[in-house]
């Protein structure tokens, strides 16, 4: 099978350098790489040129439209039997394409997604963010888990689509705000088979600090409401969890502040909230420690998990309230 790897890029030349280096190491050779520079000010052409003698590489520069439409640009120019989409902040294991080819040869999928993990080279903050985004005790485990809830929706940091599915369904209709979920829902509705390839993991850097991480997750929360506008039936009870958690944390903080000022409001409620929140924090910490083998990363992972849930919850409530007001 011949794969077309499509990577949208926006002002991240260092990231594409690291990603292309991992693609050079692939132990499966029938593939091409299409890099779509999406109107970047700091473009990566000089870096890409260094890899032209080692990869079947195609570089395009286009006006800025966002990652969804940049992927469409790549689809239209790809030669492969199967398209694979990566985010530019991913590192790809050397056996990735071999693993995907073997999996599709035995259990065909018209579209697939794969999980992500933290690479040994990541900073402690990046490892903590990776833990928060993949932990079963946050919303993260739903995306890359064999026991996901409901229909699996691949995410485009690590996603594959067959040429036939693309020719039938077309490309992305949204360029951001949940564009990958909307796309995978349309593929599923068209009758194509979608699934997870658990072994097809990538190392996903995500964000380098907690401020960037907060902004990204706030955006994700808003994106879920955007998906709801297109497919109301896709809004599940689990999607309300970050908003409920955010409200619970806010209530717990408020009750404790009132207590500090001598305004004790039903102390047993305050105690119960503190107990629940404290138990959850201990669960996250010890699970993070077990997973990462690092107390420092586990503590940072606790911070990252709270940022993930609260940022997502606030974004979800912000656009959810706006949607209700419009209706």
């Amino acid at each position: 099978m011949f794969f077309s790897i499509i990577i949208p890029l926006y002002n991240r030349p260092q990231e594409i350098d690291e990603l292309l280096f991992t693609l050079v190491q692939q132990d499966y050779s029938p593939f091409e790489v299409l890099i779509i520079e999406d109107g970047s000010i700091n473009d990566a052409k000089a870096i890409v040129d260094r890899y032209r003698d080692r990869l079947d590489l195609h570089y395009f520069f286009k006006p800025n439209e966002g990652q969804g439409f940049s992927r469409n640009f790549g689809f239209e120019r790809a030669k492969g039997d199967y398209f694979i989409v990566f985010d530019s902040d991913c590192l790809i294991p050397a056996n990735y394409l071999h693993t995907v080819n073997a999996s599709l040869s035995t259990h065909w999928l018209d579209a697939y997604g794969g999980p992500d993990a933290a690479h040994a080279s990541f900073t402690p903050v990046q490892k903590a963010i990776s833990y928060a985004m993949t932990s079963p005790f946050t919303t993260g485990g739903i995306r890359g888990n064999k026991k996901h809830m409901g229909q699996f929706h691949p995410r485009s940091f690590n996603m594959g689509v067959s040429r036939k599915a693309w020719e039938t369904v077309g490309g992305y209709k949204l360029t951001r705000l949940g564009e990958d979920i909307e796309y995978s829902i349309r593929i599923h509705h068209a009758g194509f088979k979608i699934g997870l390839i658990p072994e097809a993991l990538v190392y996903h850097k995500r964000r380098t600090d907690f401020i960037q991480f907060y902004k990204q997750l706030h955006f994700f929360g808003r994106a879920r409401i955007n998906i709801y506008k297109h497919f109301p039936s896709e809004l599940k009870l689990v999607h309300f969890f970050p908003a409920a958690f955010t409200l619970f944390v806010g209530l717990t903080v408020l009750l404790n502040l009132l207590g500090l000022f001598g305004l004790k409001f039903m102390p047993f409620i305050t105690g119960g909230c503190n107990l629940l929140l404290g138990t959850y924090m201990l669960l996250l910490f010890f699970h993070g420690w077990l997973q990462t083998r690092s107390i420092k990363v586990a503590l940072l992972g606790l911070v990252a998990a709270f940022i993930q849930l609260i940022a997502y919850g606030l974004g979800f409530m912000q656009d959810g309230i706006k949607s209700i007001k419009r209706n």
Side-chain angles (χ1 to χ4, degrees):
M1 188 179 299
F2 187 77
F3 293 104
S4 291
I5 297 174
I6 297 163
I7 307 164
L9 185 64
Y10 183 69
N11 288 330
R12 295 186 178 186
Q14 180 57 38
E15 286 183 355
I16 200 64
D17 190 12
E18 295 170 347
L19 193 161
L20 290 175
F21 181 79
T22 64
L23 292 180
V24 170
Q25 315 304 315
Q26 290 298 303
D27 57 12
Y28 181 95
S29 58
F31 71 94
E32 64 174 353
V33 182
L34 293 86
I35 297 173
I36 318 302
E37 191 89 67
D38 189 31
S40 299
I41 296 172
N42 185 15
D43 72 67
K45 186 177 185 303
I47 289 174
V48 172
D49 285 344
R50 299 206 303 262
Y51 289 89
R52 290 190 183 277
D53 61 340
R54 289 178 283 173
L55 292 168
D56 181 1
L57 192 54
H58 310 274
Y59 176 81
F60 303 93
F61 190 98
K62 56 178 281 299
N64 179 261
E65 295 179 292
Q67 61 265 33
F69 295 163
S70 294
R71 294 175 190 128
N72 288 347
F73 187 97
F75 290 161
E76 292 163 1
R77 290 157 179 79
K79 302 172 186 174
D81 309 303
Y82 214 101
F83 306 150
I84 297 176
V85 176
F86 293 135
D87 279 355
S88 63
D89 58 350
C90 288
L91 304 177
I92 316 303
N95 66 343
Y96 179 92
L97 292 176
H98 179 84
T99 298
V100 170
N101 184 68
S103 180
L104 294 177
S105 298
T106 54
H107 303 286
W108 176 258
L109 294 170
D110 298 288
Y112 76 86
D116 63 316
H119 192 267
S121 65
F122 287 8
T123 67
V125 169
Q126 287 174 321
K127 290 177 180 177
I129 289 173
S130 178
Y131 169 74
M133 292 298 287
T134 57
S135 171
F137 300 112
T138 66
T139 61
I142 297 170
R143 295 187 318 279
N145 195 301
K146 292 181 182 179
K147 299 179 180 179
H148 56 268
M149 304 174 74
Q151 172 62 39
F152 176 70
H153 295 142
R155 301 303 202 271
S156 50
F157 68 84
N158 179 12
M159 178 179 182
V161 181
S162 70
R163 174 174 286 276
K164 182 178 179 181
W166 170 71
E167 289 175 345
T168 303
V169 178
Y172 292 81
K173 286 188 175 180
L174 306 177
T175 193
R176 51 178 65 90
L177 270 179
E179 78 287 347
D180 47 2
I181 302 175
E182 189 276 338
Y183 189 33
S184 65
I185 291 171
R186 279 192 288 116
I187 293 173
H188 175 66
H189 285 182
F192 290 101
K193 188 175 181 181
I194 301 177
L196 172 74
I197 301 180
E199 299 79 18
L201 69 83
V202 300
Y203 301 111
H204 195 188
K205 287 188 172 183
R206 301 189 185 277
R207 296 298 176 257
T208 56
D209 61 56
F210 287 142
I211 294 175
Q212 292 178 340
F213 185 52
Y214 175 89
K215 292 178 180 178
Q216 182 185 45
L217 268 294
H218 187 270
F219 193 80
F220 286 176
R222 295 178 57 211
R224 177 50 64 178
I225 297 298
N226 199 35
I227 295 301
Y228 163 74
K229 294 174 185 176
H230 292 83
F231 301 101
S233 64
E234 292 295 330
L235 189 62
K236 310 296 184 183
L237 185 61
V238 69
H239 299 134
F240 289 85
F241 170 66
F245 178 81
T246 301
L247 293 173
F248 174 73
V249 171
L251 174 63
T252 303
V253 171
L254 177 62
L255 290 174
N256 281 283
L257 287 175
L258 290 174
L260 288 175
F261 289 100
L263 302 172
K264 295 188 182 296
F265 178 75
M266 302 179 72
F268 70 91
I269 294 181
T270 305
C273 289
N274 287 335
L275 179 61
L276 284 173
L277 193 59
T279 301
Y280 180 64
M281 292 172 68
L282 287 172
L283 179 64
L284 278 173
F285 170 73
F286 283 108
H287 182 262
W289 187 8
L290 181 66
Q291 292 295 109
T292 66
R293 306 293 182 181
S294 167
I295 291 178
K296 180 178 182 179
V297 173
L299 288 170
L300 290 170
L302 186 60
V303 176
F306 269 67
I307 291 173
Q308 181 210 27
L309 293 169
I310 291 173
Y312 188 106
L314 290 174
F316 183 90
M317 288 187 286
Q318 172 189 306
D319 277 28
I321 292 169
K322 288 180 180 178
S323 180
I324 292 171
K325 286 181 177 179
R326 291 192 197 102
N327 296 329

